[in-house]
Amino acid sequence: MGKLLCDSSSAAVAVAEAPSPAPAPPLLTWPTPDPDPPTSWTAVAALEDQQRRRLHRIWERGVAWKPPATLPLPPLVFRLDHAGEVDADGNCLFTAARKAASAKPDARDLRHRIVRRFSHLYAAAQAPDRDAIDAAVRHLYAPDLKAGWGVHVVQELKLLAPKTLRHHLDAAINDLVDLGIQREMAAETIYRERCIAVNNGDSWAKYMSVSGSAEDEHNIITLQYTEEGLLTIDENRDGHAAAFGDDIAIECLATEFKREVYVVQAHGADAMVDEDNCVFFLPHRPRGEICEPPIFLFMKGTAWCGAGADHYEPLIATVLQNVTPDKAAVVL
């Protein structure tokens, strides 16, 4: 996964001689979470024994967090409970973050808030910062297929096809097929020539807006390659593919929430790490002020790529009253 810090910061009418209406509730709120009953780590599916044991020890002793000097809170120790599965529909980052933060918007609305946040940051950024963002986006979604094979077996290119142009793309592909070109090669040629490459901040915003719903303006096309060449094309004919949340989106979530977001990543034997080091806490911090304690998201490492996974689940953090930071299993 790429890593990028995307930062930034974040109405009532009185009528004479009439009771003042109650102010509209904020779109994002962070009350004490009231989730479904948290799930014990013993009940969480698809964990290896070493992951489960380590997560249980962290659950018993807690995670210590020291607030910034601007936040009038003492150091806190949190117990992290798994808050249940979320749908693996491509929107899991936003669904999980919404549940972990007890935020009001639904997953699709939260996704669009994050895209607007990013677009504002990107437009206001200086040239060097924009260049760094563009490079991170290319690394994630438009990699140089002449490199990287020492790390990856399969690399992907993400493209965006405007829904209004799908029939034009199909016609162009059929024209090449009529000339005797194999359909897969024809589709690769047309998609790479005529679709939007996800290779800079502007195209990232279009890409991250795609939630797999009928209201999306674009369909995601995925070209998969091995070192030998094209492996497969996912043409996403039903339009249900959504843009998976990435580190850029998480940084924007942190900025929107004004809270740190920690991704708790658990790796199994495929990552070749011992039990004491199989769980990582990956921080994503806002540039602006931090106004609340952090939220935590859970990610299982995958077998084919030890560097990460693509599915997020919510964690509920509750304060352990009788545990001091020096006794915690993890100090952030």
Side-chain angles (χ1 to χ4, degrees), residues 135-170:
V137 172
R138 286 194 298 274
H139 173 73
L140 289 169
Y141 303 114
D144 180 1
L145 296 178
K146 297 175 183 175
W149 298 113
V151 177
H152 301 288
V153 177
V154 176
Q155 298 194 72
E156 293 183 343
L157 298 184
K158 295 290 187 181
L159 304 170
L160 298 174
K163 286 186 174 182
T164 56
L165 299 181
R166 281 306 289 257
H167 64 287
H168 294 297
L169 296 172
D170 289 341

Short mmCIF file of all heavy atoms in Angstrom, two decimals, residues 135-170:
data_model
loop_
_atom_site.label_atom_id
_atom_site.label_comp_id
_atom_site.label_asym_id
_atom_site.label_seq_id
_atom_site.Cartn_x
_atom_site.Cartn_y
_atom_site.Cartn_z
N ALA A 135 2.60 11.56 -7.40
CA ALA A 135 3.51 10.40 -7.41
C ALA A 135 2.93 9.25 -6.58
O ALA A 135 3.03 8.07 -6.98
CB ALA A 135 4.88 10.81 -6.88
N ALA A 136 2.32 9.58 -5.43
CA ALA A 136 1.72 8.53 -4.60
C ALA A 136 0.55 7.87 -5.31
O ALA A 136 0.37 6.65 -5.25
CB ALA A 136 1.26 9.13 -3.27
N VAL A 137 -0.27 8.66 -6.01
CA VAL A 137 -1.41 8.10 -6.74
C VAL A 137 -0.92 7.19 -7.87
O VAL A 137 -1.46 6.09 -8.07
CB VAL A 137 -2.30 9.24 -7.29
CG1 VAL A 137 -3.38 8.68 -8.22
CG2 VAL A 137 -2.93 10.03 -6.15
N ARG A 138 0.10 7.63 -8.60
CA ARG A 138 0.64 6.77 -9.67
C ARG A 138 1.17 5.47 -9.10
O ARG A 138 0.98 4.39 -9.69
CB ARG A 138 1.75 7.51 -10.43
CG ARG A 138 1.24 8.60 -11.36
CD ARG A 138 2.33 9.05 -12.31
NE ARG A 138 3.47 9.62 -11.61
CZ ARG A 138 3.57 10.90 -11.24
NH1 ARG A 138 2.58 11.74 -11.50
NH2 ARG A 138 4.64 11.34 -10.62
N HIS A 139 1.83 5.54 -7.97
CA HIS A 139 2.37 4.33 -7.34
C HIS A 139 1.25 3.34 -7.03
O HIS A 139 1.41 2.12 -7.20
CB HIS A 139 3.11 4.71 -6.06
CG HIS A 139 3.56 3.54 -5.25
ND1 HIS A 139 4.60 2.72 -5.61
CD2 HIS A 139 3.08 3.04 -4.08
CE1 HIS A 139 4.75 1.77 -4.71
NE2 HIS A 139 3.84 1.93 -3.78
N LEU A 140 0.11 3.85 -6.60
CA LEU A 140 -1.00 2.99 -6.21
C LEU A 140 -1.78 2.45 -7.41
O LEU A 140 -2.18 1.27 -7.42
CB LEU A 140 -1.96 3.76 -5.30
CG LEU A 140 -1.47 4.08 -3.88
CD1 LEU A 140 -2.42 5.07 -3.22
CD2 LEU A 140 -1.34 2.82 -3.05
N TYR A 141 -2.03 3.29 -8.42
CA TYR A 141 -3.02 2.95 -9.43
C TYR A 141 -2.52 3.00 -10.87
O TYR A 141 -3.24 2.56 -11.76
CB TYR A 141 -4.23 3.88 -9.29
CG TYR A 141 -4.83 3.82 -7.90
CD1 TYR A 141 -4.80 4.92 -7.05
CD2 TYR A 141 -5.40 2.65 -7.43
CE1 TYR A 141 -5.33 4.86 -5.77
CE2 TYR A 141 -5.94 2.57 -6.16
CZ TYR A 141 -5.90 3.68 -5.33
OH TYR A 141 -6.42 3.61 -4.07
N ALA A 142 -1.34 3.53 -11.10
CA ALA A 142 -0.78 3.56 -12.45
C ALA A 142 0.71 3.27 -12.38
O ALA A 142 1.54 4.07 -12.81
CB ALA A 142 -1.04 4.93 -13.11
N PRO A 143 1.08 2.10 -11.83
CA PRO A 143 2.50 1.80 -11.62
C PRO A 143 3.24 1.61 -12.94
O PRO A 143 2.65 1.30 -13.98
CB PRO A 143 2.47 0.50 -10.83
CG PRO A 143 1.18 -0.15 -11.22
CD PRO A 143 0.22 0.98 -11.42
N ASP A 144 4.54 1.83 -12.89
CA ASP A 144 5.41 1.58 -14.03
C ASP A 144 5.55 0.07 -14.19
O ASP A 144 6.16 -0.60 -13.35
CB ASP A 144 6.78 2.23 -13.80
CG ASP A 144 7.75 2.00 -14.95
OD1 ASP A 144 7.35 1.34 -15.94
OD2 ASP A 144 8.89 2.48 -14.85
N LEU A 145 5.01 -0.48 -15.26
CA LEU A 145 5.00 -1.92 -15.44
C LEU A 145 6.36 -2.47 -15.85
O LEU A 145 6.51 -3.69 -16.03
CB LEU A 145 3.94 -2.31 -16.47
CG LEU A 145 2.50 -2.01 -16.06
CD1 LEU A 145 1.54 -2.38 -17.18
CD2 LEU A 145 2.12 -2.73 -14.78
N LYS A 146 7.34 -1.60 -15.99
CA LYS A 146 8.70 -2.06 -16.26
C LYS A 146 9.46 -2.31 -14.96
O LYS A 146 10.61 -2.77 -15.00
CB LYS A 146 9.45 -1.02 -17.10
CG LYS A 146 8.83 -0.78 -18.47
CD LYS A 146 9.55 0.33 -19.19
CE LYS A 146 8.87 0.63 -20.54
NZ LYS A 146 9.48 1.81 -21.21
N ALA A 147 8.85 -1.98 -13.84
CA ALA A 147 9.53 -2.11 -12.55
C ALA A 147 8.58 -2.74 -11.54
O ALA A 147 7.40 -2.96 -11.81
CB ALA A 147 9.99 -0.73 -12.07
N GLY A 148 9.12 -3.04 -10.36
CA GLY A 148 8.29 -3.52 -9.27
C GLY A 148 8.07 -5.01 -9.21
O GLY A 148 7.42 -5.51 -8.28
N TRP A 149 8.61 -5.76 -10.18
CA TRP A 149 8.31 -7.19 -10.20
C TRP A 149 9.08 -7.97 -9.15
O TRP A 149 8.75 -9.12 -8.86
CB TRP A 149 8.58 -7.74 -11.59
CG TRP A 149 7.70 -7.10 -12.62
CD1 TRP A 149 8.08 -6.27 -13.63
CD2 TRP A 149 6.27 -7.18 -12.71
NE1 TRP A 149 7.00 -5.83 -14.34
CE2 TRP A 149 5.86 -6.39 -13.81
CE3 TRP A 149 5.28 -7.84 -11.98
CZ2 TRP A 149 4.53 -6.24 -14.16
CZ3 TRP A 149 3.96 -7.71 -12.34
CH2 TRP A 149 3.59 -6.91 -13.42
N GLY A 150 10.08 -7.37 -8.55
CA GLY A 150 10.74 -8.04 -7.45
C GLY A 150 9.91 -8.05 -6.18
O GLY A 150 10.18 -8.82 -5.25
N VAL A 151 8.87 -7.22 -6.14
CA VAL A 151 7.98 -7.13 -4.98
C VAL A 151 6.63 -7.76 -5.26
O VAL A 151 6.09 -8.49 -4.44
CB VAL A 151 7.80 -5.65 -4.57
CG1 VAL A 151 6.83 -5.53 -3.40
CG2 VAL A 151 9.14 -5.02 -4.23
N HIS A 152 6.08 -7.50 -6.45
CA HIS A 152 4.72 -7.93 -6.78
C HIS A 152 4.73 -9.00 -7.87
O HIS A 152 5.51 -8.93 -8.81
CB HIS A 152 3.89 -6.75 -7.24
CG HIS A 152 3.79 -5.65 -6.23
ND1 HIS A 152 3.05 -5.76 -5.08
CD2 HIS A 152 4.35 -4.41 -6.21
CE1 HIS A 152 3.15 -4.65 -4.38
NE2 HIS A 152 3.93 -3.82 -5.04
N VAL A 153 3.82 -9.95 -7.74
CA VAL A 153 3.60 -10.93 -8.79
C VAL A 153 2.61 -10.40 -9.81
O VAL A 153 2.73 -10.64 -11.01
CB VAL A 153 3.10 -12.26 -8.20
CG1 VAL A 153 2.78 -13.27 -9.30
CG2 VAL A 153 4.13 -12.84 -7.24
N VAL A 154 1.62 -9.65 -9.31
CA VAL A 154 0.59 -9.05 -10.16
C VAL A 154 0.53 -7.56 -9.84
O VAL A 154 0.55 -7.16 -8.68
CB VAL A 154 -0.79 -9.70 -9.91
CG1 VAL A 154 -1.88 -8.99 -10.72
CG2 VAL A 154 -0.76 -11.18 -10.26
N GLN A 155 0.45 -6.74 -10.88
CA GLN A 155 0.25 -5.31 -10.72
C GLN A 155 -0.99 -4.89 -11.49
O GLN A 155 -1.33 -5.49 -12.51
CB GLN A 155 1.47 -4.51 -11.20
CG GLN A 155 2.74 -4.83 -10.42
CD GLN A 155 3.83 -3.80 -10.69
OE1 GLN A 155 3.75 -2.66 -10.23
NE2 GLN A 155 4.84 -4.21 -11.43
N GLU A 156 -1.65 -3.86 -10.99
CA GLU A 156 -2.92 -3.42 -11.57
C GLU A 156 -2.85 -1.98 -12.06
O GLU A 156 -2.21 -1.13 -11.43
CB GLU A 156 -4.05 -3.52 -10.54
CG GLU A 156 -4.40 -4.92 -10.13
CD GLU A 156 -5.58 -4.96 -9.17
OE1 GLU A 156 -5.91 -3.91 -8.57
OE2 GLU A 156 -6.18 -6.04 -9.01
N LEU A 157 -3.54 -1.73 -13.15
CA LEU A 157 -3.82 -0.38 -13.59
C LEU A 157 -5.31 -0.13 -13.40
O LEU A 157 -6.14 -0.94 -13.81
CB LEU A 157 -3.47 -0.18 -15.08
CG LEU A 157 -2.02 -0.38 -15.52
CD1 LEU A 157 -1.89 -0.03 -17.00
CD2 LEU A 157 -1.07 0.48 -14.69
N LYS A 158 -5.64 1.00 -12.78
CA LYS A 158 -7.03 1.38 -12.60
C LYS A 158 -7.37 2.48 -13.60
O LYS A 158 -6.64 3.47 -13.73
CB LYS A 158 -7.28 1.90 -11.18
CG LYS A 158 -7.10 0.86 -10.09
CD LYS A 158 -8.19 -0.20 -10.12
CE LYS A 158 -8.08 -1.14 -8.92
NZ LYS A 158 -9.12 -2.18 -8.93
N LEU A 159 -8.48 2.29 -14.31
CA LEU A 159 -8.95 3.26 -15.29
C LEU A 159 -10.41 3.58 -14.99
O LEU A 159 -11.13 2.77 -14.39
CB LEU A 159 -8.83 2.69 -16.71
CG LEU A 159 -7.44 2.22 -17.15
CD1 LEU A 159 -7.54 1.48 -18.47
CD2 LEU A 159 -6.48 3.40 -17.26
N LEU A 160 -10.85 4.75 -15.43
CA LEU A 160 -12.23 5.17 -15.24
C LEU A 160 -12.91 5.34 -16.59
O LEU A 160 -12.42 6.09 -17.45
CB LEU A 160 -12.29 6.50 -14.47
CG LEU A 160 -11.72 6.47 -13.05
CD1 LEU A 160 -11.71 7.88 -12.47
CD2 LEU A 160 -12.52 5.53 -12.16
N ALA A 161 -14.02 4.65 -16.75
CA ALA A 161 -14.81 4.77 -17.98
C ALA A 161 -16.07 5.56 -17.67
O ALA A 161 -16.89 5.11 -16.86
CB ALA A 161 -15.18 3.38 -18.51
N PRO A 162 -16.24 6.75 -18.26
CA PRO A 162 -17.50 7.48 -18.05
C PRO A 162 -18.68 6.61 -18.49
O PRO A 162 -18.66 6.02 -19.57
CB PRO A 162 -17.34 8.72 -18.95
CG PRO A 162 -15.85 8.89 -19.10
CD PRO A 162 -15.29 7.50 -19.11
N LYS A 163 -19.69 6.53 -17.65
CA LYS A 163 -20.83 5.67 -17.97
C LYS A 163 -21.49 6.06 -19.29
O LYS A 163 -21.98 5.20 -20.03
CB LYS A 163 -21.86 5.72 -16.84
CG LYS A 163 -21.45 4.97 -15.59
CD LYS A 163 -22.59 4.94 -14.59
CE LYS A 163 -22.25 4.07 -13.39
NZ LYS A 163 -23.36 4.01 -12.43
N THR A 164 -21.49 7.36 -19.58
CA THR A 164 -22.15 7.82 -20.80
C THR A 164 -21.41 7.39 -22.06
O THR A 164 -21.96 7.49 -23.17
CB THR A 164 -22.27 9.36 -20.79
OG1 THR A 164 -20.97 9.93 -20.62
CG2 THR A 164 -23.17 9.81 -19.65
N LEU A 165 -20.16 6.92 -21.90
CA LEU A 165 -19.36 6.55 -23.08
C LEU A 165 -19.17 5.05 -23.22
O LEU A 165 -18.44 4.62 -24.13
CB LEU A 165 -17.99 7.24 -23.01
CG LEU A 165 -17.99 8.77 -23.01
CD1 LEU A 165 -16.56 9.29 -22.97
CD2 LEU A 165 -18.72 9.32 -24.24
N ARG A 166 -19.80 4.24 -22.37
CA ARG A 166 -19.54 2.81 -22.43
C ARG A 166 -19.90 2.23 -23.79
O ARG A 166 -19.18 1.36 -24.32
CB ARG A 166 -20.31 2.07 -21.32
CG ARG A 166 -19.70 2.12 -19.93
CD ARG A 166 -18.26 1.66 -19.84
NE ARG A 166 -18.02 0.26 -20.02
CZ ARG A 166 -17.78 -0.60 -19.03
NH1 ARG A 166 -17.78 -0.20 -17.78
NH2 ARG A 166 -17.52 -1.86 -19.29
N HIS A 167 -21.01 2.66 -24.38
CA HIS A 167 -21.39 2.09 -25.68
C HIS A 167 -20.41 2.50 -26.77
O HIS A 167 -20.16 1.74 -27.72
CB HIS A 167 -22.82 2.50 -26.05
CG HIS A 167 -23.02 3.96 -26.27
ND1 HIS A 167 -23.04 4.87 -25.23
CD2 HIS A 167 -23.22 4.68 -27.41
CE1 HIS A 167 -23.25 6.09 -25.71
NE2 HIS A 167 -23.35 6.00 -27.03
N HIS A 168 -19.81 3.70 -26.67
CA HIS A 168 -18.79 4.11 -27.64
C HIS A 168 -17.53 3.25 -27.48
O HIS A 168 -16.89 2.87 -28.48
CB HIS A 168 -18.44 5.58 -27.44
CG HIS A 168 -19.57 6.52 -27.76
ND1 HIS A 168 -20.11 6.65 -29.01
CD2 HIS A 168 -20.24 7.39 -26.97
CE1 HIS A 168 -21.08 7.55 -28.99
NE2 HIS A 168 -21.18 8.02 -27.76
N LEU A 169 -17.16 2.95 -26.23
CA LEU A 169 -16.00 2.10 -26.00
C LEU A 169 -16.24 0.70 -26.56
O LEU A 169 -15.35 0.11 -27.20
CB LEU A 169 -15.70 2.03 -24.50
CG LEU A 169 -15.30 3.34 -23.82
CD1 LEU A 169 -15.22 3.15 -22.31
CD2 LEU A 169 -13.96 3.84 -24.35
N ASP A 170 -17.42 0.17 -26.32
CA ASP A 170 -17.74 -1.17 -26.84
C ASP A 170 -17.69 -1.19 -28.37
O ASP A 170 -17.18 -2.16 -28.97
CB ASP A 170 -19.14 -1.59 -26.37
CG ASP A 170 -19.18 -1.90 -24.88
OD1 ASP A 170 -18.11 -2.14 -24.30
OD2 ASP A 170 -20.28 -1.91 -24.31
#
